[in-house]
Amino acid sequence: MAHSFADRHSTHDNSWMINRASLAELFAFTDADDGSTYRYLLVLRFILLNSVGLFLLLLVWQQGWIDGMFDGESTELLALIIGVFAFGLVACGQKIVVLSRELNLLSKGHRHVGADHQSRVQSYFGDIQGLDGQSRANIAQALRLKLANRIGTIRHIANSLVILGLIGTVIGFMIALSGVNPDVVSDISAVGPMVSTLISGMSVALYTTLVGAVLNVWLMINYRLLEGGTVNLFTKLVEAGERYARV
C-alpha cells in the first residue's frame, strides 16, 4: 500500500515536472521572440509624453496666457480640476509601471507559475493549467474584463474633468447674470459694476471650460497609452497560454 502511494506521488511529481519543463520551453520561445522589447517601454513613453506636455505648459505660462486664471472667482474650481487631473495622472503612471512589469515578466519567462498571484501573468498560467479549450476561453474572457476594469478608472477620471469644466461654465454664467439688473440699466453709475460682474462670470466660465477640456485631452492620451499596453498584454498572454496548453 505504501509502495502504491509512493508510486502515485512519484507520478504526480513527474507530471508536474513535465508541465514545468513545458512552460519553461514556452517562455524560452517567447523570450527569444520578443527579447527585451517591452522592458519599461511604456514607462519611457509615459515620461516622454508628459515631459512634452509640461514643456508646452511652461511655454504657455511664459507667454503670460495663464496669469489671470487664478486671480478671479475661478481659483477654487480650477484648483479642483487640476487636483483631479493630477490624481488621475499619478494613478495612470502607477498602472503603467505595473503593466510594464507584467510585460517584462511575460517576455523574459517567469518559471514559477502561481507563485505570486499579484501578477496577471503568473496567475493566468496557473489558472489554465490542465483545462480544455472552452475553459481556457472562459478564463481568458474573465481576464479581459479584469484588465479592462483595472484601467477603466483613468477613463472615468478623464471624463470627470469635462464635467467639472461644464459645471464651471454654468457657475460662470450664473455669476455673470447675477449682476445684471434691468431696472438700473439706464443708470450710468450702475453700468460699471454690472459689466465688471459680467466679465468676472464669463472669465470663470471660459477658464474652467478651457482647463477642463485641455486636461481631459492630456489624460485621455495617457489613457490610450495604457489601454494599448493592456491590449498588448492580453493578446500576448492568451497566445502564450494557448501555446503552453498545446505543449
Side-chain angles (χ1 to χ4, degrees), residues 83-177:
V84 172
F85 165 76
F87 174 79
L89 189 62
V90 171
C92 184
Q94 292 175 341
K95 294 180 185 298
I96 283 179
V97 170
V98 172
L99 182 60
S100 296
R101 289 174 178 171
E102 291 174 340
L103 284 170
N104 294 340
L105 184 64
L106 181 59
S107 63
K108 284 184 175 182
H110 192 96
R111 275 103 172 135
H112 302 291
V113 179
D116 181 5
H117 290 283
Q118 293 181 350
S119 169
R120 298 292 183 191
V121 174
Q122 294 166 315
S123 61
Y124 177 74
F125 281 100
D127 291 340
I128 66 172
Q129 186 178 4
L131 298 180
D132 57 15
Q134 183 60 45
S135 299
R136 293 196 305 272
N138 292 336
I139 292 178
Q141 179 67 13
L143 174 65
R144 186 182 69 84
L145 295 176
K146 290 177 181 178
L147 291 175
N149 182 67
R150 186 171 72 175
I151 67 174
T153 306
I154 308 301
R155 185 181 69 252
H156 296 322
I157 294 176
N159 293 336
S160 69
L161 295 174
V162 177
I163 296 175
L164 290 174
L166 293 176
I167 292 175
T169 303
V170 174
I171 294 176
F173 277 110
M174 292 175 61
I175 294 174
L177 296 176

Side-chain angles (χ1 to χ4, degrees), residues 73 172 175-180 192-202:
E73 300 182 22
I175 294 174
L177 296 176
S178 65
V180 178
M194 282 193 295
V195 172
S196 178
T197 304
L198 182 64
I199 294 176
S200 177
M202 291 302 296

Side-chain angles (χ1 to χ4, degrees), residues 175-207:
I175 294 174
L177 296 176
S178 65
V180 178
N181 187 354
D183 297 334
V184 296
V185 170
S186 58
D187 187 359
I188 301 299
S189 61
V191 172
M194 282 193 295
V195 172
S196 178
T197 304
L198 182 64
I199 294 176
S200 177
M202 291 302 296
S203 66
V204 172
L206 294 176
Y207 282 147

